[in-house]
Amino acid sequence: MNKELKKKYPIGYSFTGLAALLVGIGIGRFGYPPLIPEIINQKWFTIAQADYLGAANLTGYIIGSMIATLLNRYIPSVTLIRVMLLFTAITFLGCSFQLSFLLYFTLRVIAGITGGVLMVLTAPTLFKYTSNDKKGLVGGLVFSGVGIGIALSGTIIPLLVDKGLSITWFAYAITAIVLISVTWNGWPNGSNEKHKITSLTYGSDSRVWNKTIILLIVSYASNAVGFVPHTVFWVDFISRGLKLGIGKGTQLWVLLGIAAALGPLLTGYIADKIGFAKSIRISLLIKAIGVILPLMSTSIWSLAASSVFVGSLALGISSLAAGRTGELVSQSHQKKVWSYMTVTYSVAHALTAYVLTYLFSRYGSYTMLFTIGAISLIIGSIADYWSSKSVRQ
């Protein structure tokens, strides 16, 4: 694809990527948690089984993140993305039936795998055919697809659940099929190549796994740790910890989701102005402020600001990190580096969730949870600063 086409259609590409992440992760991952109460109430599965189904998707996501570049060695990028989207829609159709736990578990694992592959491949595939001055905007639009899924999880999805589990899953499938159909031909024609099997290099003569990349990965993992207090404990903290009730907790969760849908657009716009590296470290510091705000004030304005700061930067930083990898490594290596970063983020987030849950069960301190999250984000900002300083000029 020539330079003129690269500059002409970046926004169209971004909506194609948005649809892919909305289907694969926004619905595929975040469309499940709101269904858990009804799954239990309608006796499709027990409480423990419902939780295991949630863990199945996360496990699949990690697997998908790990094998994405391996699959891309043999299957062209766009073909692989389309196949993953179709498999995702099929899992939605399968979940609309009351199946055995083993079959349901398998479908949720598959949905996780497809989501992981889509996360690794979508942004780098589109970045390759986007002009440098538009990568921030395109990345922001692409990652807002995940944020839209989070926003829907607290708004439209609960209304669907009232109509029944089967109808809800069928609605997921129809939505996925429509989005896949509309964007089927929206991918760059020239991007249907396989991932080249080459040794990893940075620049012309140094290995990619240098101090710069390692510190960037540390920074991104720190972002994952800092997000756990809000993803796991936020609603519980508001409803039980502050005794404001589940209604207020849900409202502030929806606000976080809306911010997550809009945040990547803002961070992408800023990144196009001041650069990805500086945007990452500033965003991590602002997110740290958002995490620590509830310890400074529990008034509604403070809680709302915390939801907005943390929500808007949750996926905004992911978009920035994906763009940053494109600056630091060649196009043929970006998918592999981004794969490692995605896996690291997922593992760090999952392990931190288990650790903080254990600590909370033992000490019952919300203050400790938010403090750990804020400190981790500050560490991430410092790591990103040193990553930028270590880049060879």
Side-chain angles (χ1 to χ4, degrees):
M1 181 170 289
N2 59 39
K3 293 182 178 179
E4 181 181 352
L5 288 177
K6 288 182 186 179
K7 295 181 179 179
K8 187 175 180 181
Y9 298 111
I11 303 303
Y13 293 163
S14 63
F15 280 110
T16 299
L18 182 156
L21 293 191
L22 174 57
V23 171
I25 302 175
I27 300 176
R29 182 173 179 183
F30 293 104
Y32 173 75
L35 307 184
I36 293 177
E38 198 64 20
I39 284 176
I40 296 171
N41 291 336
Q42 293 191 20
K43 301 186 184 305
W44 278 33
F45 300 107
T46 65
I47 296 176
Q49 288 175 327
D51 290 339
Y52 278 123
L53 291 173
N57 185 258
L58 178 59
T59 301
Y61 181 80
I62 294 173
I63 294 172
S65 303
M66 295 175 66
I67 67 173
T69 54
L70 175 62
L71 293 175
N72 198 199
R73 291 180 179 179
Y74 307 102
I75 305 174
S77 301
V78 172
T79 300
L80 183 55
I81 290 172
R82 287 170 174 163
V83 169
M84 292 298 104
L85 288 170
L86 290 174
F87 270 115
T88 304
I90 291 171
T91 66
F92 296 162
L93 285 173
C95 286
S96 65
F97 299 95
Q98 190 172 359
L99 305 172
S100 68
F101 174 72
L102 181 59
L103 286 175
Y104 222 90
F105 186 92
T106 301
L107 289 172
R108 294 306 296 152
V109 170
I110 293 173
I113 291 173
T114 60
V117 173
L118 290 169
M119 174 60 85
V120 170
L121 296 184
T122 300
T125 297
L126 296 178
F127 280 160
K128 184 175 181 180
Y129 293 86
T130 304
S131 57
N132 290 332
D133 62 328
K134 296 295 184 182
K135 285 186 177 179
L137 176 60
V138 169
L141 282 167
V142 169
F143 281 88
S144 69
V146 183
I148 291 172
I150 297 176
L152 291 176
S153 72
T155 52
I156 296 177
I157 292 176
L159 299 178
L160 285 173
V161 174
D162 291 338
K163 305 297 182 181
L165 285 172
S166 294
I167 291 178
T168 302
W169 280 111
F170 189 70
Y172 287 176
I174 293 299
T175 301
I177 291 171
V178 169
L179 289 173
I180 294 169
S181 300
V182 169
T183 60
W184 187 263
N185 294 319
W187 299 94
N189 292 329
S191 64
N192 205 24
E193 80 289 346
K194 298 177 183 177
H195 179 70
K196 296 179 180 179
I197 308 175
T198 57
S199 59
L200 290 175
T201 57
Y202 172 60
S204 59
D205 57 0
S206 61
R207 295 181 62 81
V208 74
W209 300 116
N210 52 30
K211 181 180 178 181
T212 301
I213 297 298
I214 292 173
L215 285 171
L216 181 62
I217 293 176
V218 170
S219 175
Y220 196 48
S222 298
N223 176 49
V225 174
F227 193 32
V228 170
H230 275 66
T231 54
V232 179
F233 301 98
W234 189 229
V235 175
D236 182 64
F237 168 69
I238 295 167
S239 59
R240 288 197 314 113
L242 300 182
K243 296 181 172 59
L244 295 178
I246 187 65
K248 186 62 66 177
T250 301
Q251 290 174 7
L252 289 168
W253 176 255
V254 171
L255 179 61
L256 185 148
I258 294 173
L262 299 176
L265 301 177
L266 177 61
T267 56
Y269 174 80
I270 294 174
D272 285 335
K273 301 298 181 182
I274 67 174
F276 287 105
K278 186 179 293 185
S279 298
I280 290 175
R281 74 182 70 113
I282 293 174
S283 295
L284 285 167
L285 290 176
I286 294 175
K287 190 173 178 181
I289 293 173
V291 172
I292 210 71
L293 264 178
L295 303 184
M296 301 172 63
S297 171
T298 56
S299 60
I300 293 299
W301 72 264
S302 178
L303 298 175
S306 179
S307 289
V308 170
F309 285 179
V310 175
S312 62
L313 296 173
L315 296 166
I317 294 175
S318 294
S319 172
L320 296 174
R324 181 61 173 154
T325 61
E327 292 182 336
L328 295 176
V329 299
S330 64
Q331 292 178 348
S332 62
H333 301 142
Q334 186 183 5
K335 292 174 184 176
K336 186 161 189 175
V337 173
W338 181 235
S339 172
Y340 276 95
M341 292 182 67
T342 301
V343 172
T344 302
Y345 181 99
S346 303
V347 173
H349 190 273
L351 290 178
T352 302
Y354 284 118
V355 171
L356 293 190
T357 299
Y358 168 76
L359 292 175
F360 184 73
S361 67
R362 187 179 181 104
Y363 301 104
S365 172
Y366 290 105
T367 299
M368 176 180 60
L369 304 179
F370 291 116
T371 300
I372 291 174
I375 291 174
S376 176
L377 291 166
I378 293 172
I379 292 173
S381 182
I382 295 172
D384 178 76
Y385 172 77
W386 284 111
S387 174
S388 300
K389 292 287 287 186
S390 65
V391 176
R392 294 186 178 183
Q393 302 298 326

